[in-house]
Amino acid sequence: MKQEIKDEALEQLKKDILFGFENGDELFESIRELFYDEDDFDEEWLKVEIESRLQKHVDDSKNWQHPTDFERLVKVFDQLNREKIVSLHMAGHTRQDAEGDCMEIIDELGAIGIEAKGYCYYHSQDLERAIEKERMLFIGYDSTNQNNDIAKEVVERIVDLLQTNGFNVKWNGSLDTRIEITSINWKKTPDNIDYNYGRVFEIIEKYNNPKTELKPMRNKPFWKFW
């Protein structure tokens, strides 16, 4: 196994562990998939690296102050979901992925008689900026039907909740510009919680009255494009 392949695998592993969404098995699967065409890839080496690095991350988390910025962001997104603004954490790798996931949920909500007002999200490329020196996180948003008046209500509500929960927020008032959370201190460990489909529908069911019974959602994996 070439050293350059090891270096590339470790770089991706470092990011994924800091993101904090994947457990050990998921980390192995996603990294191995990245190098699917490497016949001499050392899987045992990767398993050892994942175990040691993930354990260190978990050990470090015991000294974190709470609530973390992620925990506060969850609080914001949960409230938005209560208000029928579909809000997804780490929704895919690109804007197209994220908006596709949001609209899929919105369509399924519509099928049971719940009309979503809009949506917001951040994806893995956004999260890379949060864990690097930039320490900033973009939040994308829109209304369900790209109605500018409703989109303005959506973004203003998102900004208000973020600021109320202590985030430093920048938004220039243009619907063509995403919300920017600055000076974010990203800290998260894997907790086996589905912060997308599962959590959205759990909240929707609790705080709204669907016309038909919600069907159990399939386990939808995080998107990864390499």
Side-chain angles (χ1 to χ4, degrees):
M1 183 176 174
K2 297 178 181 178
Q3 186 61 45
E4 63 184 285
I5 298 299
K6 284 188 175 183
D7 292 343
E8 189 175 345
L10 289 177
E11 181 63 25
Q12 186 62 49
L13 178 60
K14 177 184 176 182
K15 291 180 183 179
D16 289 343
I17 288 177
L18 289 176
F19 290 167
F21 284 95
E22 296 177 310
N23 61 33
D25 289 340
E26 291 164 337
L27 287 167
F28 175 81
E29 184 176 328
S30 63
I31 297 295
R32 187 63 186 96
E33 182 181 344
L34 175 60
F35 299 98
Y36 71 93
D37 57 349
E38 295 292 332
D39 295 332
D40 63 342
F41 191 89
D42 191 340
E43 294 186 351
E44 292 305 314
W45 165 82
L46 178 59
K47 290 177 182 178
V48 170
E49 291 292 337
I50 290 173
E51 182 177 2
S52 63
R53 291 169 182 265
L54 183 57
Q55 186 59 55
K56 183 181 184 304
H57 185 61
V58 171
D59 290 342
D60 290 345
S61 72
K62 296 174 183 178
N63 297 317
W64 293 350
Q65 292 185 349
H66 295 274
T68 64
D69 281 1
F70 173 72
E71 289 165 344
R72 291 190 293 130
L73 189 59
V74 168
K75 183 179 178 181
V76 171
F77 275 29
D78 283 356
Q79 180 60 40
L80 291 168
N81 282 315
R82 292 187 189 102
E83 299 174 18
K84 295 188 289 188
I85 299 173
V86 171
S87 303
L88 303 186
H89 298 268
M90 194 166 162
H93 190 58
T94 66
R95 174 180 176 178
Q96 184 178 10
D97 298 341
E99 292 185 345
D101 281 359
C102 288
M103 293 309 300
E104 185 174 342
I105 290 177
I106 287 168
D107 288 344
E108 294 192 35
L109 289 173
I112 58 173
I114 296 176
E115 183 178 353
K117 185 175 184 178
Y119 60 83
C120 72
Y121 62 84
Y122 59 91
H123 49 64
S124 65
Q125 289 185 2
D126 295 325
L127 202 48
E128 287 184 14
R129 298 184 182 94
I131 65 171
E132 299 294 344
K133 292 180 180 180
E134 295 170 88
R135 291 185 59 195
M136 53 84 70
L137 181 66
F138 279 123
I139 304 293
Y141 61 87
D142 205 340
S143 63
T144 301
N145 297 312
Q146 288 75 55
N147 179 293
N148 286 344
D149 291 336
I150 298 177
K152 186 176 180 181
E153 293 178 9
V154 168
V155 65
E156 288 178 347
R157 181 56 175 155
I158 297 167
V159 169
D160 176 61
L161 281 173
L162 288 171
Q163 291 176 334
T164 299
N165 283 273
F167 288 104
N168 297 316
V169 180
K170 291 173 60 178
W171 180 61
N172 66 4
S174 169
L175 295 178
D176 294 325
T177 305
R178 292 192 292 170
I179 301 164
E180 180 181 344
I181 301 175
T182 62
S183 302
I184 193 166
N185 187 11
W186 189 265
K187 294 182 181 297
K188 186 185 182 312
T189 57
D191 51 21
N192 296 317
I193 294 175
D194 175 9
Y195 287 98
N196 287 342
Y197 278 67
R199 196 172 189 93
V200 168
F201 275 85
E202 179 184 357
I203 293 172
I204 289 290
E205 184 177 33
K206 183 175 180 179
Y207 291 93
N208 296 274
N209 296 309
K211 293 181 180 179
T212 60
E213 183 178 354
L214 285 171
K215 297 180 180 179
M217 296 297 296
R218 64 189 180 280
N219 291 324
K220 188 178 180 68
F222 295 113
W223 289 79
K224 279 185 177 286
F225 292 95
W226 311 108

